[in-house]
Amino acid sequence: MKRKQRMNRLGTGLFTFISIFYVLPVVVVLFNSFKKKSYINLEPFKLPNETTFTGLDNYATAINQYDFLKAVGWTVFITVGSVIVILLCTSMCAWFITRVRTRVTRAIYILCVFSMVVPFQMVMFTLSLVTDRLGLGTPWGLIIIYLGFGAGLAVFMFCGFVKSIPIEIEEAAMIDGCSPIRTFFSVVLPIMKPTYISVGILETMWIWNDFLLPYLTLDIKKYKTISIVIQYMKGSYGRVDMGAIMAALIMAVIPVVIFYLSCQKHIIKGVAAGAVKG
Amino acid sequence: MEKAIKRYFPIFLLPTLIAFTIGFIVPFIMGIWLSFCEFTTVTDATFVGLSNYIKAFQDPIFLHSFWYTALFAVVSLVVINVIAFAIALALTQKLRGTNIFRTVFFMPNLIGGIVLGYIWQLIFNGLLAPMATALNLNEWYGFWGLIILVAWQQIGYMMIIYIAGLQSIPGDVMEAAAIDGASGPQRLFKVTIPMMMPSITICTFLSVVNGFKLFDQNLSLTAGEPSKMSEMLALNIYNTFYGRTGWEGVGQAKAVVFFILVVAIGLIQLKATRSKEVQQ
């Protein structure tokens, strides 16, 4: 028994050590974000001192020169808008195609599953042509694109859950005089709450971090997301301002960490659920 | 009941269906068609048969990126899954602080690929600088840099799936094995791993497909430097589309090859590991 205790203590020590190493890259970026830009590449692993410390200047540059906060705003708008639209539309669609069994609905289901394995590169060029032609290169248009491209996973996961709901509950509601819409919103939707959370989290993680889809479809001169701004800062336009990039990286990581720590339980459950279904 | 619901299809089905058509079906079909055409915009597309595919396979950079990506997918698959499995095993042993460790290991997964790439670029260049070299000077620095990056990013994700799998193994099976006198390694290889095959199937599938599809991290960490030698398939396709005028058709042909490859590898991998799953 004593041996086991000692092993456990050793394990905790080892994992504490690994955990510190695990967060170290972000910490390095954090203290570099307080250094003058010319010192960042010279001595990236040294803490800022009197000569290299520059306070919040880098953050000010990122916000003022590169409109970073505007990018955060658009990213929030696109992510929240898309996730709400995806959850609402695909859950309704999934309920419909599970309850109404025709050749058409089965075909839609198969197409959705198929779309999950298609890599984005397959459709990226033609998708950007289509969005251009339809004038969907705005954050509002992007929500429709995300609904279309993200429908596969969402419909698949919702269908998996709808199949497990006993149909008798819905039949009872309909016999009592509920219309299908009322049945869906007051009977089916509350039962599916856990699936809404899982799908919502998976789609949020994807859309928040997505780079290529908004980069190719958005009108970049007017609208940028966080990933696009960071790539743009690093791009070949003029001199690269390492200080502003460090600040931007930290500002990109902070909301994610807050989101993660505040709904960690749901995120981990969502990931496990999504994996089992995938 | 079916009939009653059916009448409501414009409300339930139509929004998703329209968006799905715009966002997936139309681009997909157009993509297949355009891979047989030469074009710069869709209106001037002319049918050229298989010549795009022939050009794609004659492109030495494409072939290089093909092998580079395949090697990357295999190495990242092994590294990620072995480490994630080991961590999952350790963290289900009632260690003190398990929850904190899980939280820490999972966190990088939520950070976007572009951001990850630039974080690690700083670290790697800082480590390489004393040796008077840099990440963009050697394709193998880029390769191992990407391996470390995706391991850092994905180990936590796979760990969560493995932990869920480990917790679903019924305790009496392990107890029975222990009573029958199975040693630690025997229990691991004869009981735990066979019982874990469903989780292993999912994780290996995800990591191999992720490896092939990797784009953001590749773009931000090395951008294909030195001279496209660390360019992976997805980035190569992107550069063919937007870096060379007149090559859009070839880019689309490469994309079709890429799509078939990803689907084929996914299916082969699923079949290979599914056949090893045991009935519980």
Side-chain angles (χ1 to χ4, degrees):
Chain A
M1 215 55 223
K2 244 195 180 146
R3 193 169 147 252
K4 191 147 195 208
Q5 242 173 15
R6 209 183 311 145
M7 282 293 283
N8 271 352
R9 210 168 293 159
L10 205 74
T12 306
L14 180 72
F15 273 100
T16 312
F17 190 69
I18 301 174
S19 297
I20 291 169
F21 252 89
Y22 228 73
V23 293
L24 216 53
V26 179
V27 175
V28 171
V29 174
L30 178 68
F31 64 69
N32 272 298
S33 70
F34 298 111
K35 277 192 217 163
K36 285 187 188 135
K37 54 186 170 189
S38 48
Y39 290 98
I40 290 170
N41 273 336
L42 278 178
E43 38 195 49
F45 299 125
K46 281 191 190 144
L47 286 167
N49 53 34
E50 292 94 39
T51 47
T52 60
F53 185 71
T54 160
L56 291 172
D57 282 3
N58 291 327
Y59 290 85
T61 320
I63 289 169
N64 296 330
Q65 266 185 37
Y66 295 96
D67 264 342
F68 194 81
L69 292 184
K70 212 169 133 196
V72 174
W74 283 125
T75 313
V76 170
F77 174 80
I78 292 168
T79 309
V80 173
S82 304
V83 171
I84 290 172
V85 171
I86 288 177
L87 288 179
L88 184 68
C89 293
T90 59
S91 61
M92 291 172 82
C93 170
W95 185 64
F96 187 91
I97 65 175
T98 324
R99 290 297 180 235
V100 179
R101 307 298 265 159
T102 63
R103 237 176 280 153
V104 180
T105 57
R106 208 155 302 157
I108 294 171
Y109 179 74
I110 290 168
L111 270 175
C112 283
V113 175
F114 173 72
S115 79
M116 291 198 305
V117 288
V118 174
F120 181 64
Q121 275 71 21
M122 174 65 206
V123 297
M124 69 175 177
F125 187 75
T126 43
L127 182 64
S128 65
L129 290 179
V130 171
T131 49
D132 234 31
R133 190 66 57 85
L134 297 175
L136 293 174
T138 62
W140 298 272
L142 201 60
I143 291 176
I144 298 175
I145 303 296
Y146 271 123
L147 172 60
F149 203 74
L153 175 78
V155 168
F156 177 69
M157 282 183 69
F158 278 121
C159 279
F161 192 80
V162 172
K163 275 179 204 148
S164 72
I165 304 176
I167 196 165
E168 286 79 14
I169 303 176
E170 291 155 34
E171 274 170 353
M174 302 266 262
I175 288 167
D176 287 350
C178 278
S179 68
I181 293 178
R182 181 107 188 264
T183 310
F184 179 81
F185 282 102
S186 37
V187 178
V188 181
L189 195 144
I191 304 177
M192 289 210 289
K193 209 175 131 202
T195 316
Y196 276 99
I197 295 173
S198 301
V199 176
I201 279 165
L202 290 177
E203 303 279 354
T204 306
M205 281 164 58
W206 165 50
I207 296 169
W208 180 272
N209 290 324
D210 201 15
F211 165 70
L212 200 51
L213 197 155
Y215 184 71
L216 292 177
T217 51
L218 271 184
D219 181 0
I220 301 183
K221 287 198 190 92
K222 279 194 226 150
Y223 315 103
K224 290 192 184 72
T225 64
I226 294 175
S227 296
I228 295 174
V229 169
I230 291 174
Q231 181 63 19
Y232 177 85
M233 289 165 92
K234 193 77 189 189
S236 49
Y237 310 96
R239 281 176 60 98
V240 176
D241 185 341
M242 281 304 278
I245 290 176
M246 292 301 127
L249 291 177
I250 290 301
M251 286 191 282
V253 170
I254 287 171
V256 171
V257 172
I258 293 172
F259 171 69
Y260 175 50
L261 293 180
S262 56
C263 34
Q264 189 193 353
K265 239 187 206 154
H266 294 300
I267 292 175
I268 286 179
K269 242 188 242 160
V271 165
V276 172
K277 303 252 165 62
Chain B
M1 183 175 143
E2 243 190 75
K3 263 191 192 149
I5 303 172
K6 218 171 176 176
R7 274 189 293 132
Y8 282 82
F9 92 95
I11 298 167
F12 281 99
L13 203 56
L14 224 48
T16 309
L17 206 58
I18 291 170
F20 190 60
T21 310
I22 297 172
F24 180 73
I25 296 174
V26 170
F28 185 80
I29 294 168
M30 258 170 81
I32 301 240
W33 160 246
L34 286 177
S35 72
F36 298 105
C37 294
E38 202 177 300
F39 65 97
T40 44
T41 60
V42 183
T43 37
D44 66 354
T46 46
F47 187 78
V48 289
L50 285 173
S51 92
N52 285 331
Y53 288 89
I54 295 165
K55 266 193 205 165
F57 280 108
Q58 283 169 346
D59 179 1
I61 299 168
F62 181 63
L63 295 177
H64 178 272
S65 72
F66 189 94
W67 293 115
Y68 193 81
T69 310
L71 188 64
F72 176 84
V74 173
V75 175
S76 69
L77 168 101
V78 174
V79 170
I80 292 171
N81 284 289
V82 169
I83 299 177
F85 194 89
I87 292 180
L89 270 182
L91 292 188
T92 42
Q93 303 295 320
K94 296 192 184 104
L95 283 185
R96 197 189 285 218
T98 302
N99 282 333
I100 299 170
F101 300 141
R102 273 187 218 180
T103 307
V104 170
F105 291 138
F106 186 77
M107 197 172 55
N109 202 273
L110 291 144
I111 303 174
I114 295 287
V115 176
L116 283 175
Y118 289 128
I119 291 176
W120 279 96
Q121 199 183 50
L122 178 83
I123 308 289
F124 289 137
N125 277 333
L127 291 172
L128 290 171
M131 292 180 268
T133 178
L135 201 57
N136 56 4
L137 295 178
N138 183 323
E139 63 174 302
W140 296 109
Y141 293 163
F143 183 87
W144 291 108
L146 274 173
I147 293 281
I148 293 172
L149 193 162
V150 296
W152 190 65
Q153 183 189 11
Q154 289 177 25
I155 279 174
Y157 194 93
M158 304 304 166
M159 174 198 76
I160 295 293
I161 301 175
Y162 281 133
I163 287 177
L166 282 170
Q167 283 168 342
S168 71
I169 296 179
D172 48 354
V173 178
M174 298 305 286
E175 235 168 78
I179 290 169
D180 287 350
S183 66
Q186 266 176 338
R187 262 177 292 169
L188 176 65
F189 288 103
K190 297 270 154 77
V191 183
T192 310
I193 290 182
M195 296 290 276
M196 286 284 285
M197 276 323 277
S199 308
I200 295 174
T201 303
I202 294 158
C203 288
T204 48
F205 173 79
L206 285 176
S207 49
V208 81
V209 170
N210 284 345
F212 268 93
K213 287 199 208 166
L214 197 76
F215 178 85
D216 292 1
Q217 291 87 332
N218 192 200
L219 177 71
S220 52
L221 190 72
T222 67
E225 294 289 322
S227 57
K228 306 204 165 181
M229 279 299 142
S230 68
E231 194 175 74
M232 292 176 58
L233 273 176
L235 185 59
N236 179 277
I237 292 167
Y238 175 84
N239 284 336
T240 316
F241 270 123
Y242 298 99
R244 296 169 90 164
T245 28
W247 277 64
E248 287 85 354
V250 183
Q252 192 57 57
K254 285 179 182 177
V256 173
V257 173
F258 181 53
F259 152 66
I260 294 170
L261 190 74
V262 168
V263 172
I265 286 166
L267 288 179
I268 292 168
Q269 195 280 332
L270 277 184
K271 212 162 197 183
T273 42
R274 273 274 146 81
S275 65
K276 295 203 175 63
E277 283 179 18
V278 289
Q279 293 291 321
Q280 296 203 358

